[in-house]
Amino acid sequence: MMGAGGPCSKESIGQAKPGQDLLVIGQIGQLGTRILSAAFKQELTGWFSKSYIKKLESIQGLQVDPYIERIQRQGVTGILSAGEGGILKAIWDASGAWRVGVSFSLRKIPVQQGTIEICERCVCDPYRLWCGNCLVLAAENGGQLAEACEEWQIPAAVIGIVETGTARKLRHGEATGYLERPREDEIYRLLGRDRADHLRSAITTEKG
């Protein structure tokens, strides 16, 4: 199951086949946004109002968990929960678990404006920020699945395609490169493991 920022009970389910759509459901970096908002609250008051910082601290969105079974019935063959390391690590892990290549666009990944803003102020990468409440999927008809999720008020987008081989291709605008190996989650890089884990535990306990 996926509680407040936690992973599903099964990290990787099913398989993906070349030609299928690659999707992200839920918005990335939500748990990391809440942790950074709490950690840098004092510094952020120089840019944001207290009410906006409080909003960032509670950023979560509609829970994906209650819709898992409905989502899986929409032509989904592979599913993986995004957590520590951010959405790029989840895509890397999904490709490895499913033994397929992927090609995807960074710009198509759903992300809230609040996450972008706090990452700009904290000088960190929102795509390598702890997710929670977010899934990477492979599906036969990704557009239809994305439309169904939107009806449930869950952000969703087809971000790319499953391919043969093992290459993980990343498109950013007109440029195409290759996804790097996962790095340390941004909250650990900025806060250190002890402080980050303490804040994460407090936030997930309070909001869970």
Side-chain angles (χ1 to χ4, degrees), residues 132-179:
N133 199 27
C134 184
L135 303 169
V136 176
L137 301 99
E140 293 292 345
N141 191 332
Q144 181 176 318
L145 173 55
E147 288 179 6
C149 288
E150 293 293 346
E151 290 179 4
W152 303 328
Q153 298 182 8
I154 299 173
V158 176
I159 66 165
I161 193 168
V162 178
E163 298 184 333
T164 57
T166 59
R168 300 167 172 98
K169 301 173 187 175
L170 186 158
R171 301 191 305 276
H172 191 30
E174 296 182 359
T176 299
Y178 291 90
L179 186 59

Side-chain angles (χ1 to χ4, degrees), residues 2 8 22-30 60 62-65 67-68 70-72 74 76 78-82 87 90-91 108-111 131-139 141-150 152-159:
M2 278 178 35
C8 290
L22 185 70
L23 299 93
V24 170
I25 293 180
Q27 289 173 314
I28 67 167
Q30 291 186 359
Q60 189 169 340
L62 184 66
Q63 287 292 307
V64 173
D65 216 29
Y67 297 89
I68 291 292
R70 291 194 223 178
I71 289 169
Q72 288 178 308
Q74 298 287 327
V76 173
I79 181 170
L80 185 139
S81 177
I87 194 62
I91 294 171
K108 293 182 179 179
I109 296 174
V111 55
C131 288
N133 199 27
C134 184
L135 303 169
V136 176
L137 301 99
N141 191 332
Q144 181 176 318
L145 173 55
E147 288 179 6
C149 288
E150 293 293 346
W152 303 328
Q153 298 182 8
I154 299 173
V158 176
I159 66 165

